[in-house]
Amino acid sequence: MGASFLSDNAAGVSPEILEAIVRANDGAAPAYGADVLTQLLTGRFEEFFGHPVQCYLVGTGTAANALSLAALCPPWGAVLCHEEAHIAVDECGAPELFTGGAKLLPLPGRDGKLSIDGLQRALARFRGGDQHQVQPAAVSLSQATEAGTVYRPDEIAALAEWAHARGLKVHMDGARFANAAVGIGASPAEITWRAGVDILSFGATKNGALAAEAVIVFDAGIGKEMLFRRKRAGHLFSKSRFLAAQFHAYLDGDLWRRNAAHANGMARKLAEGLGRISGVAVLHPVEANEIFVRMPDALAAFLRQHEFLLHDWPPSGADGRRLVTSPMTTEAEVDGLLAAAADAP
Amino acid sequence: MGASFLSDNAAGVSPEILEAIVRANDGAAPAYGADVLTQLLTGRFEEFFGHPVQCYLVGTGTAANALSLAALCPPWGAVLCHEEAHIAVDECGAPELFTGGAKLLPLPGRDGKLSIDGLQRALARFRGGDQHQVQPAAVSLSQATEAGTVYRPDEIAALAEWAHARGLKVHMDGARFANAAVGIGASPAEITWRAGVDILSFGATKNGALAAEAVIVFDAGIGKEMLFRRKRAGHLFSKSRFLAAQFHAYLDGDLWRRNAAHANGMARKLAEGLGRISGVAVLHPVEANEIFVRMPDALAAFLRQHEFLLHDWPPSGADGRRLVTSPMTTEAEVDGLLAAAADAP
Amino acid sequence: MGASFLSDNAAGVSPEILEAIVRANDGAAPAYGADVLTQLLTGRFEEFFGHPVQCYLVGTGTAANALSLAALCPPWGAVLCHEEAHIAVDECGAPELFTGGAKLLPLPGRDGKLSIDGLQRALARFRGGDQHQVQPAAVSLSQATEAGTVYRPDEIAALAEWAHARGLKVHMDGARFANAAVGIGASPAEITWRAGVDILSFGATKNGALAAEAVIVFDAGIGKEMLFRRKRAGHLFSKSRFLAAQFHAYLDGDLWRRNAAHANGMARKLAEGLGRISGVAVLHPVEANEIFVRMPDALAAFLRQHEFLLHDWPPSGADGRRLVTSPMTTEAEVDGLLAAAADAP
Amino acid sequence: MGASFLSDNAAGVSPEILEAIVRANDGAAPAYGADVLTQLLTGRFEEFFGHPVQCYLVGTGTAANALSLAALCPPWGAVLCHEEAHIAVDECGAPELFTGGAKLLPLPGRDGKLSIDGLQRALARFRGGDQHQVQPAAVSLSQATEAGTVYRPDEIAALAEWAHARGLKVHMDGARFANAAVGIGASPAEITWRAGVDILSFGATKNGALAAEAVIVFDAGIGKEMLFRRKRAGHLFSKSRFLAAQFHAYLDGDLWRRNAAHANGMARKLAEGLGRISGVAVLHPVEANEIFVRMPDALAAFLRQHEFLLHDWPPSGADGRRLVTSPMTTEAEVDGLLAAAADAP
C-alpha cells in the first residue's frame, strides 16, 4: 500500500498524452518547430485563450518562467514576486541568468498571494528612474500560488492594473494553471489577458504531461526575439512535434480540465479528512491540488512508515508538511492515507 | 513517394525507445532525477565507457554543449573549435550565455577537422596570461564532424595531448557520437577518455531518441557544480525518468549501434549512388550519416519536385547540398532518390 | 554661507592627493599597472595591513565591490548582506552583472549591522547543496555601516567565524574604511584579515581622493583571475600611475587617518549639536562620518533655504535625513548649520 | 637619453588638463554627474559635433566601447569588426560581458579597415532571422584604425549606408579620434553622425587626458538606459567633475587638435626617418600617431639598449614593431631614435 503525495511531478503521464506522443511518431517531420503539430498549436492556444498569442514550447517550467521574465525585464530591472514564489526560491537563479542579472524582490503576503499594499511598500523603497537602482519592471504571480490558493480574476485585475499604471508588466507562473482555473471555475481568458496578464508560463507537466510547457505571449509589444532567447538557452527542441503532441492531447476533449478537476477533488477530500485528524491543521484554503498542513512529527513518521510519502515544508513552520495530488492520485490512495492517519497511535 | 533527407532530427523515434517511455510510466517516481531509472544510468554509462563518469541528462544538444563548455571555460576564456562547428554557427550564442561571455575561436580545417597546425596558429595570436586578452581554455571537437567525417582515436589523442600540454581541456560534441563510433569501428572508450576527452555531449536524439542528451564528465576535476549550472539553465527535468528511460533503451541490446550502423549504411549507399550521377560531386569522405555534395540547381529542384527533401548547404559552395540519413531511412527511400536522380533530365 | 552635508562624495580632493597626481605626471611610464607607482603599491598595502595581499586598483567603489563579490561567489551563489547595504540598494545590480547572476540576500539588522541570528535565520531558508537553490557563498559587511556605525573587531570575527564554518567567504565594503578604523581606534589589520575578512573594497574616494579604490585580497586561495575580471569589466586604467599616486599620498604620513579623524570629529560635533535641537533625534550611534536623524520638514526646509544641503533619507522614516561630513568640512560649516538650526522658527 | 614609443597610454597628462583638474577642486559639488562641469558638457559636445548628443563619461576606453556595443547589440546579436580591432583582441571579452554574450565577428581588411566586400562576405554566412544563429546587429569601426590609418568620411558613409540598409547600427571606437580627425583634416561632424555613426567612444586619455572617455550617442533612438548600463558596470564616477574638467580643458582652445597635430607630426617625422633606415619597412600609411614597421631584431635590440622603447607587434609579422607618439613626444626624442637607428651596426 502507500502512495506518493510528494509532488504532481512525481506522478506519471496521462494515457491520452502518451498515446499522442506515440501517434506523433509517424514518419519524418521538419525539425525545430516547423512540423504541422507545432504549427497548429498557436491556433489552438488562440482558441483556448480567445486572444491572439505567440506560443513558445519548452521542456521545463523553469525555462518558461525565466524566458518570460527575460522578455519583460531588462538586466537592470527588478521583478516583484511573492517570497515563496518558485522563481525566487526553487530555480537556482534561472531568472537571473536569463535576464542577464535582474533582481527578484521577494515580498511577503497572506496565503501565498501578493497584495497591492505589499507591492506599494516594495515600490516605495525605489527611487524611480534613479540610475543607482535597479528599475522595477515586472510583477510575477503564481497561479495557483505556492500556498495552494488561487487568485480570483478581480484580484489579478487589480494587481495588473496597479502594475500597468506604473509601467510594470505582468507575468503569471502557471505551472498549475489548470488546477487554478478549475479550482475557481474561471475560464483561461478570465485569469490571464482579460485580467491584464502579459505573458504566461503555461504548464502541463504537473497535470499529466511528460514534459510540456509553453510560454504564451499575450502582449503584442513583445516581439519575435523570444525565438532567439529560447534557442540560445538551449530550449528549442529538434523533435518539437513530440512537445506539441502533448499539448494537443492536453487540449483535446478538455483533458487539462478533467485532470485538474480530479487532482483538485482528491486534494479537497484529503484536506477535509486531514482537518478532522487530531493535531493536524490545514494552513491555507485548498483551492487547487496542494495541501499545506501542520502535522506532528510522530504522525508524519508513522505515515511514512506506511509508505505514504509527503514533504516536510519548513516555510510552513517546524512541523509543516506539503501533500500534493495529481491526475493519477486515486480515491483509494487518499482513503488509505486518511485511514492510516486515523490509526496512528 | 519521396523521402526526407533533411536531417536525422526530422526522423521519428525508434520503437524500442518509445516503448521504454511507455514502460517508464508506471506509478509515481521521485522527481528531478531521484528516480531509479535516472539513478541507474550513471552505472550504465560507466559500463558503456569503461570509466567513472558523472552524467547529467538534458533535453537538447545545445544544452549539453553549452553546459559542458561552461564547465571547462571561465567567462574570460576562449574555446577553439572548427569554423563550421555547431556550437559556433548554429546555437545562437548558447555557449556565450552559459559560460558568461566566453569567446569561441572558429578555425578552418579540412573535412571539418581541427588540426594541430590550425590550433597552433590560433594560439599564437594569444599572449598567454596577458590580462588584456581572453585566455584559451578549451578545445571542442565535433564527433562526427560537421562535414560527416570522423576523428580517429589517434587524431583525438594528438589534439588532446596538444591541448592538455597547454592547460586546455577537451570537449567533444557527440551529437552524432554513435554514428562516429560505428563509422570507424571504435569503442566509446577509444574516442573519448582514452584519447583524452574531458567532457562529452552524448547525443541520442539524432539517432532514434525522442529528446535525450547527456553531459558525460570524465574529468574527475569537474565537480558537482554542474548540478547548479543545469538547474539554473532550466534543464533539470522534473520527470527525469522519461529521459533516463530513453537512454536505457538506447544502450539495451546495443540499439545505439544498430541504429547508427543502419543510418551510416544508408548514407554510404546514397553517397556511392550519388557519386555516379553526372554533375554530382561528393565533397568529404562519408564516414557517418551525413553526405555533402555539389549538385546542380536543376537536379536539386527536380528531386524536390519528386518530394525528396534535402538542404542547400552554402558552406559547401553555391551548389552545395546536405543529405542526412537516419535509423528510419529505408533502402527504398535511398533507391528512390537515386532512381529519381538518374531519371532527371 | 551654507555648506554641503550631502555626501563625502560631494567633497573635493585633499591637496596632498592632488599634488601627488601632479607629481606623478613626470615623463612616460609603462601603462596598465606596470609603472613603478603601481608596482610599489602592493608592498605598501602589505605594510599597511601587516599581511600579504593582492591589490587591484579600480576607479569606483561599485567596481571594487562587484569584482570582490565575483571572486567569492559563483553565478549560482548568494551573498548575505544588510538590507541597506550599498551593494544591495545603490549599485543598480552591479554585483549581479559581475558575478554572472548571483543573488543578494538582504537582511535586517540593528544599526546597519548584520547579526549571527539574522544570518542563521537567512541560511535556514536554504537547503544546503540542493540543486534547486542558489548556494550561499559569501557574507558582505559594510564598514562603516550604512547607518554610520562601526563593527568592532570581535563582531567581525564572530560573523566571519560563523561564515567560514559554513564554507562562506567574507567581503568587506570599506568605502568608509578609514572612518571606521579611526572611529573605533582599530588598526587596519584588526578589522580585516585578523578578524577573518577575505577580501576588502578599500575606498579612498570618500575620504579625500579623486577616484581611488582598491580591491585588497587577503585570501591566498583567490588567484590571479581577478586580473581578467577587472579588465573585462573595463576597470583596468591605462594611466594606472595616477590611481596609484593617490593611494601613495593617502598612506603617506597617515593622511587616511588624519582625514578620517577630521571628518569623524566634525560628525560627532554636528551630531551632538543636532541632538540638542528640539524636534531632532539622532538615530544611530555616530561612530564614523555619517549622521542619521529625524528632523521635521520645516527645519530641513529652513536649513536648505540657508544653503545647508542634506539628504532626505526615507530608510530612516518619513522625516529621516542624512548628513555626511568629509575631510573638507570646516568647523565653521558645522557651527553655521547648528546656529541656523537653533535660529529656525 | 632614450624615449618611450610604447604607447600614447604611457605618456603623461597635458598641463592644461592637470590644471583643469586642480581648478575643479573648488569646494563641494553634487556627486554622480549632477555637478555643473558635467552638466555643461553635453552642450559643449553638441557644439563640438554640431548635433544633439547624449554624453556618458567613463574612465576607460574599454568601458566606452563595451557600453556602446551593449546599447546597439542584443545578447543574441553579433558585431562585425576588423580582426585587429581593440574590442576583439585587447579587451578580454568586455563586449561579451556588457552585451550579455553577443558575438564579435572579426574580419580581415587592408590597412586595418573594414571593406564593404568583407562585410558582405561575413553577412552571407548568416541566415537572416534564423533562430539558430546570432543576428548581426552592429558594425564597429576603429578611428584611427589599429593599423594607424584613418577612414575618410566617404569610406565611413559607405560602410554606414551598407549597415543601415541591413538594419545594423554603427559604432566608432574613437580611442584615437582626435588623431584621426586631425590626420585627414576632417571635422568631428564629418567623420561621425554626418557619415552615419550612431554611437562613438570618444577617447581623450591617449591624447593627453588623465582618464577621460565619453560615450557620445548620436542616435536619438538610444534611450536613457545607458544610465543604468553605466552604473551597473561600475562606471559612474562619484566625483564626476574631475572627469568633466578634463574634457572641458580638452575642448578649450582646441587642445584636442593641438595635441593630436603634434603627436601626428612626430609620427610622420619618425616614419619618414625610419623609412630611410636600411632594413626597415613602414607597413601602412601613417595617418595618425601609430607607426607599424618591419625592423630586424638586431636593430630593435640596439634601440632598446639605448632606451628607446617600442613594442614587438606580431600581427605585423615576425619582425613587426609598433611605435606610438603622443602629445608629449619631443622632436629631440624622435631625432634621438633616428640618430641611434642610423648609428646601429
Side-chain angles (χ1 to χ4, degrees):
Chain A
M1 255 297 294
S4 172
F5 294 91
L6 288 174
S7 176
D8 31 16
N9 274 335
V13 178
S14 287
E16 296 91 333
I17 287 176
L18 263 190
E19 284 156 22
I21 289 174
V22 172
R23 252 192 336 268
N25 192 30
D26 179 26
Y32 297 117
D35 64 280
V36 173
L37 287 173
T38 306
Q39 294 289 308
L40 289 175
L41 209 50
T42 302
R44 292 211 63 184
F45 276 125
E46 295 190 332
E47 197 181 326
F48 181 75
F49 286 107
H51 195 273
V53 304
Q54 293 179 59
C55 153
Y56 299 93
L57 300 182
V58 295
T60 69
T62 296
N65 284 337
L67 285 170
S68 295
L69 294 174
L72 301 186
C73 183
W76 54 88
V79 176
L80 291 80
C81 63
H82 194 275
E83 65 187 359
E84 293 181 20
H86 203 261
I87 58 170
V89 300
D90 273 310
E91 298 189 345
C92 197
E96 286 85 349
L97 172 63
F98 284 51
T99 58
K103 256 187 216 295
L104 300 188
L105 300 174
L107 309 179
R110 268 179 67 101
D111 289 336
K113 293 185 183 177
L114 291 174
S115 68
I116 300 279
D117 258 22
L119 293 172
Q120 202 82 49
R121 263 194 304 275
L123 205 66
R125 280 181 275 147
F126 284 86
R127 308 179 297 265
D130 180 335
Q131 64 184 330
H132 293 83
Q133 300 196 312
V134 294
Q135 301 295 300
V139 172
S140 178
L141 311 174
S142 304
Q143 179 76 323
T145 73
E146 304 295 332
T149 59
V150 178
Y151 286 102
R152 267 56 180 179
D154 62 332
E155 290 178 305
I156 301 168
L159 294 166
E161 192 183 2
W162 180 91
H164 291 155
R166 283 149 190 84
L168 281 69
K169 296 282 187 181
V170 179
H171 166 248
M172 177 172 280
D173 174 357
R176 294 187 177 92
F177 183 83
N179 301 96
V182 166
I184 59 167
S187 75
E190 284 175 293
I191 53 175
T192 57
W193 63 271
R194 223 180 260 161
V197 172
D198 296 301
I199 198 164
L200 168 70
S201 302
F202 183 56
T205 311
K206 288 177 196 285
N207 192 33
L210 190 153
E213 307 281 320
V215 174
I216 304 291
V217 181
F218 299 110
D219 178 0
I222 298 175
K224 296 290 179 186
E225 76 269 10
M226 190 68 92
L227 287 171
F228 303 108
R229 291 191 186 280
R230 179 178 57 178
K231 175 64 190 177
R232 75 195 293 266
H235 286 289
L236 176 63
F237 281 71
S238 55
K239 299 185 177 175
S240 177
R241 55 173 146 165
F242 296 105
L243 266 67
Q246 296 180 60
F247 271 115
H248 282 288
Y250 193 62
L251 300 182
D252 283 346
D254 283 350
L255 176 62
W256 65 276
R257 188 194 300 278
R258 285 181 286 124
N259 273 358
H262 177 79
N264 289 7
M266 291 299 101
R268 267 198 315 276
K269 184 182 166 79
L270 185 56
E272 285 163 16
L274 285 170
R276 283 191 294 266
I277 307 285
S278 152
V280 175
V282 178
L283 292 173
H284 305 287
V286 175
E287 299 177 341
N289 65 322
E290 291 190 294
I291 304 152
F292 297 86
V293 295
R294 300 202 161 194
M295 178 189 285
D297 286 349
L299 177 51
F302 182 83
L303 289 174
R304 285 166 179 149
Q305 275 166 19
H306 291 73
E307 296 183 26
F308 292 99
L309 307 182
L310 68 172
H311 271 303
D312 291 332
W313 207 253
S316 299
D319 57 355
R321 325 283 168 191
R322 189 189 76 165
L323 300 95
V324 189
T325 59
S326 84
M328 283 75 207
T329 303
T330 64
E331 201 137 9
E333 291 173 332
V334 171
D335 289 339
L337 184 145
L338 293 175
D343 280 358
Chain B
M1 257 295 296
S4 172
F5 294 92
L6 288 173
S7 176
D8 32 15
N9 274 334
V13 178
S14 287
E16 295 89 336
I17 287 176
L18 263 190
E19 283 156 23
I21 289 174
V22 172
R23 252 193 336 268
N25 192 31
D26 179 26
Y32 297 117
D35 64 279
V36 174
L37 287 173
T38 306
Q39 293 290 309
L40 290 176
L41 210 48
T42 301
R44 292 212 63 184
F45 277 124
E46 295 190 333
E47 196 181 332
F48 181 75
F49 286 107
H51 196 271
V53 304
Q54 294 178 56
C55 153
Y56 299 93
L57 300 182
V58 296
T60 69
T62 296
N65 284 337
L67 285 170
S68 295
L69 295 174
L72 300 187
C73 182
W76 54 88
V79 177
L80 290 80
C81 62
H82 194 275
E83 65 188 0
E84 292 182 20
H86 204 261
I87 58 170
V89 300
D90 273 310
E91 298 190 344
C92 198
E96 286 86 347
L97 173 62
F98 284 50
T99 57
K103 256 187 216 294
L104 300 188
L105 299 175
L107 309 178
R110 268 179 67 102
D111 290 333
K113 293 185 183 176
L114 292 173
S115 67
I116 301 279
D117 259 22
L119 292 171
Q120 202 80 51
R121 264 195 303 277
L123 205 66
R125 279 181 274 146
F126 284 85
R127 309 181 294 267
D130 179 336
Q131 63 183 331
H132 294 82
Q133 300 197 310
V134 294
Q135 301 296 301
V139 172
S140 178
L141 311 174
S142 304
Q143 178 77 320
T145 74
E146 305 294 333
T149 58
V150 177
Y151 287 101
R152 266 57 179 178
D154 63 332
E155 291 178 304
I156 300 168
L159 293 165
E161 192 183 0
W162 180 92
H164 291 155
R166 283 147 190 85
L168 283 68
K169 296 284 186 179
V170 179
H171 166 247
M172 177 172 281
D173 174 357
R176 293 186 178 93
F177 182 83
N179 301 97
V182 167
I184 59 167
S187 75
E190 284 175 291
I191 55 173
T192 57
W193 62 272
R194 224 179 262 161
V197 172
D198 296 300
I199 198 165
L200 167 71
S201 302
F202 182 56
T205 312
K206 288 178 196 285
N207 193 32
L210 191 153
E213 308 280 322
V215 175
I216 303 292
V217 181
F218 299 109
D219 178 359
I222 298 176
K224 297 289 179 187
E225 74 270 10
M226 190 68 93
L227 288 172
F228 304 108
R229 292 192 186 278
R230 177 176 61 176
K231 175 63 189 179
R232 74 193 293 264
H235 286 289
L236 175 63
F237 281 71
S238 55
K239 298 184 177 175
S240 177
R241 55 172 148 166
F242 296 105
L243 266 69
Q246 297 179 62
F247 271 114
H248 282 288
Y250 193 62
L251 301 182
D252 283 346
D254 283 350
L255 176 63
W256 66 276
R257 188 193 303 275
R258 287 180 285 124
N259 274 355
H262 177 79
N264 288 7
M266 293 298 102
R268 267 197 315 275
K269 183 181 165 80
L270 186 55
E272 284 163 17
L274 285 169
R276 287 191 293 265
I277 307 287
S278 149
V280 174
V282 178
L283 294 173
H284 305 287
V286 175
E287 300 177 339
N289 64 324
E290 291 190 293
I291 305 151
F292 297 86
V293 295
R294 299 204 164 194
M295 179 189 285
D297 287 348
L299 177 52
F302 181 85
L303 288 173
R304 284 166 180 150
Q305 274 166 22
H306 291 72
E307 295 184 25
F308 291 101
L309 307 182
L310 67 173
H311 272 302
D312 292 331
W313 206 255
S316 299
D319 56 355
R321 325 283 167 191
R322 188 189 76 166
L323 299 96
V324 189
T325 59
S326 83
M328 284 76 208
T329 302
T330 65
E331 201 137 10
E333 290 174 333
V334 171
D335 290 338
L337 184 146
L338 293 175
D343 281 358
Chain C
M1 253 298 294
S4 172
F5 294 92
L6 288 173
S7 177
D8 31 17
N9 274 335
V13 178
S14 287
E16 294 90 335
I17 287 176
L18 263 189
E19 283 156 23
I21 289 174
V22 172
R23 247 186 349 260
N25 193 32
D26 177 26
Y32 297 117
D35 64 280
V36 174
L37 287 173
T38 306
Q39 294 290 309
L40 289 176
L41 209 49
T42 300
R44 292 212 62 184
F45 277 125
E46 295 189 333
E47 196 182 330
F48 182 74
F49 287 107
H51 195 270
V53 303
Q54 293 179 57
C55 152
Y56 298 94
L57 300 182
V58 295
T60 70
T62 296
N65 285 337
L67 285 171
S68 295
L69 294 175
L72 301 187
C73 183
W76 53 87
V79 177
L80 290 81
C81 63
H82 193 274
E83 65 188 0
E84 292 182 20
H86 203 261
I87 58 169
V89 300
D90 273 310
E91 298 189 346
C92 198
E96 286 87 348
L97 173 62
F98 283 51
T99 57
K103 257 186 215 296
L104 301 188
L105 300 175
L107 309 179
R110 269 179 67 102
D111 290 335
K113 292 185 183 177
L114 291 174
S115 67
I116 301 278
D117 259 20
L119 292 172
Q120 201 81 50
R121 262 195 303 277
L123 204 66
R125 279 181 277 146
F126 284 85
R127 307 180 297 266
D130 179 337
Q131 64 184 330
H132 294 84
Q133 300 197 310
V134 294
Q135 302 296 300
V139 172
S140 178
L141 311 174
S142 304
Q143 178 78 320
T145 74
E146 304 295 332
T149 58
V150 178
Y151 286 100
R152 267 56 179 177
D154 62 333
E155 291 178 304
I156 301 168
L159 293 166
E161 192 184 0
W162 180 91
H164 291 154
R166 283 147 191 84
L168 282 68
K169 296 283 188 180
V170 179
H171 166 246
M172 176 173 279
D173 175 357
R176 294 187 177 93
F177 183 83
N179 301 97
V182 167
I184 58 168
S187 75
E190 284 175 293
I191 54 174
T192 58
W193 63 271
R194 222 179 264 162
V197 172
D198 297 300
I199 198 166
L200 167 72
S201 302
F202 183 56
T205 312
K206 288 177 196 287
N207 192 34
L210 190 153
E213 308 281 321
V215 175
I216 303 292
V217 181
F218 299 110
D219 178 0
I222 298 176
K224 297 289 179 187
E225 75 268 10
M226 191 69 94
L227 287 171
F228 304 107
R229 292 192 186 277
R230 178 176 61 176
K231 175 62 190 180
R232 74 193 295 264
H235 285 289
L236 175 63
F237 281 71
S238 56
K239 299 184 177 176
S240 177
R241 56 172 145 165
F242 296 106
L243 265 67
Q246 296 180 61
F247 271 114
H248 282 288
Y250 192 62
L251 300 182
D252 284 346
D254 284 348
L255 175 63
W256 65 276
R257 188 195 301 277
R258 286 181 285 123
N259 274 356
H262 177 79
N264 287 6
M266 291 298 103
R268 266 198 316 276
K269 183 182 166 81
L270 185 56
E272 285 163 15
L274 284 171
R276 285 190 293 267
I277 306 287
S278 150
V280 174
V282 178
L283 293 173
H284 305 288
V286 175
E287 300 177 341
N289 65 323
E290 291 190 293
I291 305 151
F292 297 86
V293 296
R294 299 203 163 196
M295 179 189 283
D297 287 348
L299 176 51
F302 181 84
L303 288 174
R304 284 165 180 150
Q305 273 167 22
H306 290 74
E307 294 182 28
F308 291 101
L309 306 182
L310 69 172
H311 271 303
D312 292 331
W313 206 254
S316 299
D319 57 354
R321 326 283 170 190
R322 189 189 76 166
L323 299 95
V324 189
T325 59
S326 84
M328 284 76 207
T329 303
T330 64
E331 201 138 9
E333 290 173 333
V334 171
D335 290 338
L337 184 145
L338 293 175
D343 280 359
Chain D
M1 253 296 296
S4 172
F5 294 93
L6 288 173
S7 177
D8 30 16
N9 274 335
V13 178
S14 287
E16 296 90 334
I17 287 176
L18 263 190
E19 284 156 22
I21 289 174
V22 172
R23 249 190 343 265
N25 193 29
D26 178 26
Y32 297 117
D35 65 280
V36 173
L37 286 173
T38 306
Q39 293 290 308
L40 289 176
L41 209 50
T42 301
R44 292 213 62 186
F45 277 124
E46 294 190 334
E47 197 181 328
F48 181 76
F49 286 108
H51 195 273
V53 304
Q54 294 177 55
C55 154
Y56 299 93
L57 300 182
V58 296
T60 70
T62 296
N65 284 337
L67 285 170
S68 295
L69 294 175
L72 301 186
C73 184
W76 54 89
V79 176
L80 291 79
C81 63
H82 194 275
E83 65 187 0
E84 293 181 19
H86 203 262
I87 58 169
V89 299
D90 273 311
E91 298 189 345
C92 197
E96 286 86 348
L97 172 62
F98 283 50
T99 58
K103 256 186 215 296
L104 301 188
L105 300 175
L107 309 178
R110 270 179 66 102
D111 289 335
K113 292 184 184 178
L114 291 174
S115 68
I116 300 279
D117 259 21
L119 293 172
Q120 201 81 50
R121 261 194 305 276
L123 204 65
R125 279 181 276 147
F126 283 86
R127 309 180 296 265
D130 180 335
Q131 64 184 330
H132 294 83
Q133 300 196 312
V134 294
Q135 302 296 301
V139 172
S140 177
L141 312 174
S142 304
Q143 179 77 320
T145 74
E146 303 295 332
T149 59
V150 178
Y151 286 101
R152 268 54 180 180
D154 63 332
E155 290 177 306
I156 300 168
L159 293 166
E161 193 183 359
W162 179 92
H164 290 154
R166 283 149 190 84
L168 281 68
K169 297 282 187 183
V170 179
H171 167 247
M172 177 172 279
D173 174 357
R176 295 187 177 94
F177 183 84
N179 301 95
V182 166
I184 60 167
S187 75
E190 284 175 292
I191 53 175
T192 57
W193 62 272
R194 224 181 259 162
V197 172
D198 296 301
I199 198 164
L200 168 70
S201 302
F202 183 56
T205 311
K206 287 176 196 287
N207 192 33
L210 189 152
E213 307 282 321
V215 174
I216 304 291
V217 181
F218 299 110
D219 177 358
I222 298 175
K224 297 287 178 187
E225 75 269 11
M226 191 68 94
L227 287 171
F228 303 107
R229 290 192 187 280
R230 178 177 59 178
K231 174 64 190 178
R232 74 194 293 266
H235 287 289
L236 175 64
F237 280 71
S238 56
K239 300 185 177 175
S240 178
R241 56 173 146 161
F242 296 104
L243 266 68
Q246 296 179 62
F247 271 114
H248 282 288
Y250 193 62
L251 300 182
D252 284 345
D254 283 349
L255 176 63
W256 66 276
R257 188 193 301 277
R258 286 181 285 122
N259 274 356
H262 177 79
N264 288 6
M266 291 299 102
R268 266 197 316 276
K269 183 181 165 79
L270 185 56
E272 284 164 16
L274 285 170
R276 285 191 294 266
I277 307 285
S278 151
V280 174
V282 178
L283 293 174
H284 305 287
V286 175
E287 300 178 341
N289 65 323
E290 290 190 292
I291 304 151
F292 297 86
V293 296
R294 299 203 163 194
M295 177 187 285
D297 287 349
L299 176 50
F302 183 85
L303 289 173
R304 285 168 179 149
Q305 275 166 20
H306 292 73
E307 294 182 28
F308 292 100
L309 306 181
L310 69 171
H311 271 303
D312 291 331
W313 207 253
S316 299
D319 57 354
R321 323 284 170 192
R322 189 189 77 166
L323 300 94
V324 190
T325 59
S326 83
M328 284 75 209
T329 303
T330 64
E331 202 137 9
E333 291 173 331
V334 172
D335 289 339
L337 183 146
L338 293 175
D343 281 359

